[in-house]
mmCIF file of all heavy atoms in Angstrom:
data_model
loop_
_atom_site.group_PDB
_atom_site.id
_atom_site.type_symbol
_atom_site.label_atom_id
_atom_site.label_comp_id
_atom_site.label_asym_id
_atom_site.label_seq_id
_atom_site.Cartn_x
_atom_site.Cartn_y
_atom_site.Cartn_z
ATOM 1 N N MET B 138 99.748 93.976 102.563
ATOM 2 C CA MET B 138 101.161 94.047 102.525
ATOM 3 C C MET B 138 101.882 93.188 103.415
ATOM 4 O O MET B 138 101.625 91.963 103.490
ATOM 5 C CB MET B 138 101.634 95.617 102.511
ATOM 6 C CG MET B 138 100.953 96.438 101.657
ATOM 7 S SD MET B 138 101.413 96.150 99.917
ATOM 8 C CE MET B 138 100.468 97.296 99.052
ATOM 9 N N GLY B 139 102.981 93.692 104.146
ATOM 10 C CA GLY B 139 103.784 92.896 105.039
ATOM 11 C C GLY B 139 104.453 91.783 104.181
ATOM 12 O O GLY B 139 105.291 92.207 103.182
ATOM 13 N N GLU B 140 104.319 90.592 104.367
ATOM 14 C CA GLU B 140 105.067 89.602 103.633
ATOM 15 C C GLU B 140 104.417 89.266 102.256
ATOM 16 O O GLU B 140 105.032 88.739 101.400
ATOM 17 C CB GLU B 140 105.150 88.249 104.363
ATOM 18 C CG GLU B 140 103.860 87.599 104.885
ATOM 19 C CD GLU B 140 103.911 86.569 105.912
ATOM 20 O OE1 GLU B 140 105.100 86.030 105.924
ATOM 21 O OE2 GLU B 140 103.043 86.141 106.585
ATOM 22 N N GLU B 141 103.106 89.548 101.977
ATOM 23 C CA GLU B 141 102.502 89.413 100.762
ATOM 24 C C GLU B 141 102.478 90.678 100.057
ATOM 25 O O GLU B 141 101.909 91.799 100.562
ATOM 26 C CB GLU B 141 101.178 88.808 100.954
ATOM 27 C CG GLU B 141 101.228 87.435 101.617
ATOM 28 C CD GLU B 141 101.943 86.322 100.611
ATOM 29 O OE1 GLU B 141 101.935 86.537 99.491
ATOM 30 O OE2 GLU B 141 102.569 85.507 101.272
ATOM 31 N N LEU B 142 102.817 90.846 98.821
ATOM 32 C CA LEU B 142 102.780 91.993 97.976
ATOM 33 C C LEU B 142 101.789 91.971 97.023
ATOM 34 O O LEU B 142 101.463 90.933 96.256
ATOM 35 C CB LEU B 142 104.166 92.267 97.327
ATOM 36 C CG LEU B 142 105.407 92.378 98.430
ATOM 37 C CD1 LEU B 142 106.626 92.668 97.643
ATOM 38 C CD2 LEU B 142 105.235 93.372 99.435
ATOM 39 N N SER B 143 101.106 93.059 96.701
ATOM 40 C CA SER B 143 100.057 93.245 95.653
ATOM 41 C C SER B 143 100.778 93.139 94.464
ATOM 42 O O SER B 143 101.991 93.398 94.210
ATOM 43 C CB SER B 143 99.231 94.550 95.807
ATOM 44 O OG SER B 143 100.105 95.611 95.723
ATOM 45 N N SER B 144 100.030 92.742 93.308
ATOM 46 C CA SER B 144 100.567 92.602 92.014
ATOM 47 C C SER B 144 101.328 93.770 91.407
ATOM 48 O O SER B 144 102.167 93.877 90.563
ATOM 49 C CB SER B 144 99.639 92.094 90.928
ATOM 50 O OG SER B 144 98.524 92.992 90.872
ATOM 51 N N ASP B 145 100.676 95.133 91.923
ATOM 52 C CA ASP B 145 101.214 96.309 91.292
ATOM 53 C C ASP B 145 102.397 96.916 92.135
ATOM 54 O O ASP B 145 102.824 98.103 91.913
ATOM 55 C CB ASP B 145 100.097 97.264 91.080
ATOM 56 C CG ASP B 145 99.509 97.698 92.400
ATOM 57 O OD1 ASP B 145 99.795 96.929 93.435
ATOM 58 O OD2 ASP B 145 98.735 98.684 92.578
ATOM 59 N N HIS B 146 102.869 96.116 93.190
ATOM 60 C CA HIS B 146 103.960 96.692 94.000
ATOM 61 C C HIS B 146 105.194 96.506 93.094
ATOM 62 O O HIS B 146 105.480 95.612 92.560
ATOM 63 C CB HIS B 146 103.995 95.792 95.242
ATOM 64 C CG HIS B 146 105.007 96.350 96.298
ATOM 65 N ND1 HIS B 146 106.375 96.379 96.136
ATOM 66 C CD2 HIS B 146 104.794 96.902 97.522
ATOM 67 C CE1 HIS B 146 106.922 96.881 97.141
ATOM 68 N NE2 HIS B 146 106.007 97.245 98.073
ATOM 69 N N PRO B 147 106.061 97.542 93.178
ATOM 70 C CA PRO B 147 107.335 97.470 92.411
ATOM 71 C C PRO B 147 108.221 96.331 92.617
ATOM 72 O O PRO B 147 108.950 95.888 91.920
ATOM 73 C CB PRO B 147 108.021 98.868 92.815
ATOM 74 C CG PRO B 147 107.036 99.702 93.326
ATOM 75 C CD PRO B 147 105.926 98.814 93.873
ATOM 76 N N GLY B 148 108.126 95.697 93.818
ATOM 77 C CA GLY B 148 108.873 94.557 94.189
ATOM 78 C C GLY B 148 108.129 93.217 94.072
ATOM 79 O O GLY B 148 108.753 92.277 94.399
ATOM 80 N N ALA B 149 106.988 93.274 93.532
ATOM 81 C CA ALA B 149 106.159 92.046 93.412
ATOM 82 C C ALA B 149 106.835 90.936 92.585
ATOM 83 O O ALA B 149 106.746 89.617 92.999
ATOM 84 C CB ALA B 149 104.789 92.410 92.788
ATOM 85 N N LYS B 150 107.557 91.304 91.604
ATOM 86 C CA LYS B 150 108.230 90.206 90.738
ATOM 87 C C LYS B 150 109.752 90.120 91.005
ATOM 88 O O LYS B 150 110.484 89.458 90.192
ATOM 89 C CB LYS B 150 107.977 90.628 89.343
ATOM 90 C CG LYS B 150 106.508 90.600 88.927
ATOM 91 C CD LYS B 150 106.333 90.897 87.453
ATOM 92 C CE LYS B 150 104.806 90.932 87.147
ATOM 93 N NZ LYS B 150 104.611 91.156 85.620
ATOM 94 N N ASP B 151 110.135 90.709 92.137
ATOM 95 C CA ASP B 151 111.549 90.622 92.414
ATOM 96 C C ASP B 151 111.765 89.549 93.686
ATOM 97 O O ASP B 151 111.511 89.825 94.838
ATOM 98 C CB ASP B 151 112.145 91.982 92.925
ATOM 99 C CG ASP B 151 113.576 91.937 93.199
ATOM 100 O OD1 ASP B 151 114.137 90.874 93.444
ATOM 101 O OD2 ASP B 151 114.148 93.112 93.329
ATOM 102 N N PRO B 152 112.144 88.191 93.306
ATOM 103 C CA PRO B 152 112.316 87.203 94.358
ATOM 104 C C PRO B 152 113.266 87.600 95.460
ATOM 105 O O PRO B 152 113.097 87.219 96.623
ATOM 106 C CB PRO B 152 112.724 86.049 93.586
ATOM 107 C CG PRO B 152 113.404 86.601 92.346
ATOM 108 C CD PRO B 152 112.610 87.861 91.942
ATOM 109 N N VAL B 153 114.348 88.359 95.236
ATOM 110 C CA VAL B 153 115.243 88.792 96.198
ATOM 111 C C VAL B 153 114.595 89.755 97.134
ATOM 112 O O VAL B 153 114.811 89.617 98.407
ATOM 113 C CB VAL B 153 116.632 89.393 95.581
ATOM 114 C CG1 VAL B 153 117.480 89.856 96.623
ATOM 115 C CG2 VAL B 153 117.221 88.311 94.655
ATOM 116 N N TYR B 154 113.977 90.704 96.665
ATOM 117 C CA TYR B 154 113.214 91.687 97.563
ATOM 118 C C TYR B 154 112.183 90.963 98.355
ATOM 119 O O TYR B 154 111.992 91.251 99.553
ATOM 120 C CB TYR B 154 112.628 92.824 96.649
ATOM 121 C CG TYR B 154 111.898 93.934 97.522
ATOM 122 C CD1 TYR B 154 112.609 94.941 98.065
ATOM 123 C CD2 TYR B 154 110.513 93.851 97.572
ATOM 124 C CE1 TYR B 154 111.878 95.823 98.731
ATOM 125 C CE2 TYR B 154 109.879 94.874 98.162
ATOM 126 C CZ TYR B 154 110.507 95.747 98.850
ATOM 127 O OH TYR B 154 109.894 96.821 99.599
ATOM 128 N N ARG B 155 111.362 90.166 97.824
ATOM 129 C CA ARG B 155 110.371 89.440 98.529
ATOM 130 C C ARG B 155 110.876 88.550 99.600
ATOM 131 O O ARG B 155 110.411 88.540 100.662
ATOM 132 C CB ARG B 155 109.520 88.514 97.570
ATOM 133 C CG ARG B 155 108.629 89.303 96.471
ATOM 134 C CD ARG B 155 107.962 88.410 95.548
ATOM 135 N NE ARG B 155 107.034 87.642 96.237
ATOM 136 C CZ ARG B 155 105.712 87.855 96.356
ATOM 137 N NH1 ARG B 155 105.367 89.173 95.790
ATOM 138 N NH2 ARG B 155 104.892 87.182 96.975
ATOM 139 N N LYS B 156 111.967 87.868 99.356
ATOM 140 C CA LYS B 156 112.717 87.113 100.412
ATOM 141 C C LYS B 156 113.229 88.062 101.558
ATOM 142 O O LYS B 156 113.005 87.772 102.693
ATOM 143 C CB LYS B 156 113.801 86.307 99.812
ATOM 144 C CG LYS B 156 114.611 85.486 100.837
ATOM 145 C CD LYS B 156 115.782 84.649 100.180
ATOM 146 C CE LYS B 156 116.444 83.751 101.211
ATOM 147 N NZ LYS B 156 117.681 83.227 100.629
ATOM 148 N N ARG B 157 113.735 89.086 101.123
ATOM 149 C CA ARG B 157 114.137 90.190 102.163
ATOM 150 C C ARG B 157 113.137 90.615 103.084
ATOM 151 O O ARG B 157 113.167 90.718 104.225
ATOM 152 C CB ARG B 157 114.917 91.213 101.435
ATOM 153 C CG ARG B 157 115.475 92.405 102.403
ATOM 154 C CD ARG B 157 116.403 91.867 103.316
ATOM 155 N NE ARG B 157 116.988 93.048 104.029
ATOM 156 C CZ ARG B 157 117.649 92.997 105.145
ATOM 157 N NH1 ARG B 157 117.817 91.775 105.755
ATOM 158 N NH2 ARG B 157 118.226 94.045 105.791
ATOM 159 N N ARG B 158 111.970 91.012 102.347
ATOM 160 C CA ARG B 158 110.850 91.447 103.091
ATOM 161 C C ARG B 158 110.319 90.485 104.116
ATOM 162 O O ARG B 158 110.059 90.770 105.293
ATOM 163 C CB ARG B 158 109.618 91.760 102.116
ATOM 164 C CG ARG B 158 109.829 92.993 101.298
ATOM 165 C CD ARG B 158 109.296 94.154 102.309
ATOM 166 N NE ARG B 158 107.884 94.190 102.397
ATOM 167 C CZ ARG B 158 106.947 95.003 101.899
ATOM 168 N NH1 ARG B 158 107.433 95.969 101.177
ATOM 169 N NH2 ARG B 158 105.685 94.903 102.306
ATOM 170 N N LEU B 159 110.359 89.112 103.723
ATOM 171 C CA LEU B 159 109.876 88.146 104.566
ATOM 172 C C LEU B 159 110.744 87.955 105.743
ATOM 173 O O LEU B 159 110.270 87.717 106.924
ATOM 174 C CB LEU B 159 109.793 86.810 103.784
ATOM 175 C CG LEU B 159 109.326 85.523 104.559
ATOM 176 C CD1 LEU B 159 107.941 85.776 105.103
ATOM 177 C CD2 LEU B 159 109.382 84.369 103.749
#
Side-chain angles (χ1 to χ4, degrees):
M138 299 299 181
E140 56 190 341
E141 297 296 331
L142 303 183
S143 59
S144 60
D145 61 345
H146 192 287
K150 296 181 180 180
D151 182 343
V153 176
Y154 180 79
R155 292 177 67 93
K156 181 180 179 181
R157 175 62 169 162
R158 283 277 293 246
L159 180 60

